[in-house]
Amino acid sequence: MENRPKMSRGERAKQFMPFAALKGYQEALRQRERVVVPRMELSEEYREGLDRKLRQVRKNEIVTVVYFCKNEYLKRTGMVAGIDETARVLRVVNTKIAFEDIYDISGEGILEE
């Protein structure tokens, strides 16, 4: 009988790790599952209300933003890291959101109309 050196626990564990035979397959499936949504056209009145809400947003506040990104609407909740009025960009944590992509915004310091 042959005497083989014992494998470390880490080496043995590698044998039982999940194996992806088709790299990128799961990502491709997720892409196919995405539902493409056209951007909603906002009325002038709705946009004015949204502008009023945006003016109430302050740095370091926790907000929830619904915004349009790559053919879908996403919802992001987090701390406002910055507001760039000239570039018209709101930064929530590490996500930069253009003002024109915002569909709705809410938070503790934002008054609903």
Side-chain angles (χ1 to χ4, degrees):
M1 189 154 158
E2 199 176 312
N3 249 351
R4 286 188 230 152
K6 282 200 168 199
M7 265 195 242
S8 70
R9 280 193 167 176
E11 289 297 316
R12 276 192 54 75
K14 283 182 188 176
Q15 292 179 339
F16 301 103
M17 289 183 68
F19 173 70
L22 300 171
K23 292 209 184 286
Y25 181 69
Q26 290 298 324
E27 181 61 30
L29 282 178
R30 274 193 291 280
Q31 290 298 324
R32 284 191 59 122
E33 290 173 356
R34 280 176 65 192
V35 178
V36 175
V37 180
R39 183 189 295 256
M40 289 186 260
E41 198 62 42
L42 306 179
S43 70
E44 188 65 34
E45 185 178 298
Y46 189 86
R47 272 190 265 137
E48 287 172 5
L50 198 53
D51 279 344
R52 280 192 290 279
K53 286 182 180 182
L54 279 168
R55 283 194 294 272
Q56 296 175 39
V57 175
R58 299 289 174 251
K59 191 174 178 180
N60 298 328
E61 285 182 340
I62 303 294
V63 295
T64 299
V65 183
V66 177
Y67 64 100
F68 188 77
C69 179
K70 298 179 184 171
N71 297 319
E72 64 182 338
Y73 280 91
L74 303 173
K75 187 177 192 177
R76 176 82 170 158
T77 300
M79 185 181 295
V80 175
I83 306 164
D84 188 339
E85 300 268 343
T86 54
R88 298 185 50 76
V89 172
L90 174 70
R91 204 168 85 232
V92 178
V93 187
N94 291 328
T95 306
K96 290 182 180 179
I97 306 168
F99 286 5
E100 50 272 358
D101 290 338
I102 297 174
Y103 176 73
D104 193 22
I105 187 164
S106 59
E108 204 170 293
I110 301 171
L111 298 175
E112 298 290 328
E113 296 177 1

